[in-house]
Amino acid sequence: MVQDGTSRDYDLPPVAPFHNEGKTVAGWVMFWGVCLGAVVVAVGMIMWEMWVLAVGAALLVLALVVSGVLSVMGMGQPRNRENPPQGGEHNWYS
């Protein structure tokens, strides 16, 4: 059998990806919140102070919660609610 280069074993997504590349308010809040929380946790481990570790962990959790709330408020990646993937289809941009 001769391969002419037209055969493929993958499917292209049904629509083009969003042009914002995930750079949304919710994404940036999560990024900087997790960075700040990780730095505070690292300083707490160096100082060996439990309260600093707890503050860092609280910052991490707060960043996740605030980012989730912002995403629900519409400041995150848009969702395709009119045409959700059907059974067996892969949700490319969820």
Side-chain angles (χ1 to χ4, degrees):
M1 182 170 180
V2 176
Q3 289 288 345
D4 60 357
T6 58
S7 176
R8 58 186 170 146
D9 59 350
Y10 59 90
D11 292 325
L12 295 174
V15 294
F18 299 109
H19 70 281
N20 63 12
E21 299 174 352
K23 297 174 185 152
T24 62
V25 174
W28 283 113
V29 166
M30 181 181 290
F31 172 77
W32 286 112
V34 169
C35 285
L36 179 65
V39 167
V40 172
V41 167
V43 168
M45 292 180 75
I46 292 170
M47 294 173 45
W48 204 249
E49 292 286 339
M50 189 56 71
W51 69 271
V52 179
L53 284 169
V55 168
L59 283 173
L60 289 169
V61 171
L62 181 67
L64 295 174
V65 169
V66 169
S67 179
V69 168
L70 286 172
S71 181
V72 168
M73 289 174 51
M75 296 182 179
Q77 191 77 339
R79 303 280 185 220
N80 187 1
R81 302 206 189 279
E82 291 81 32
N83 189 16
Q86 304 301 316
E89 290 182 7
H90 179 69
N91 190 358
W92 285 85
Y93 305 110
S94 61

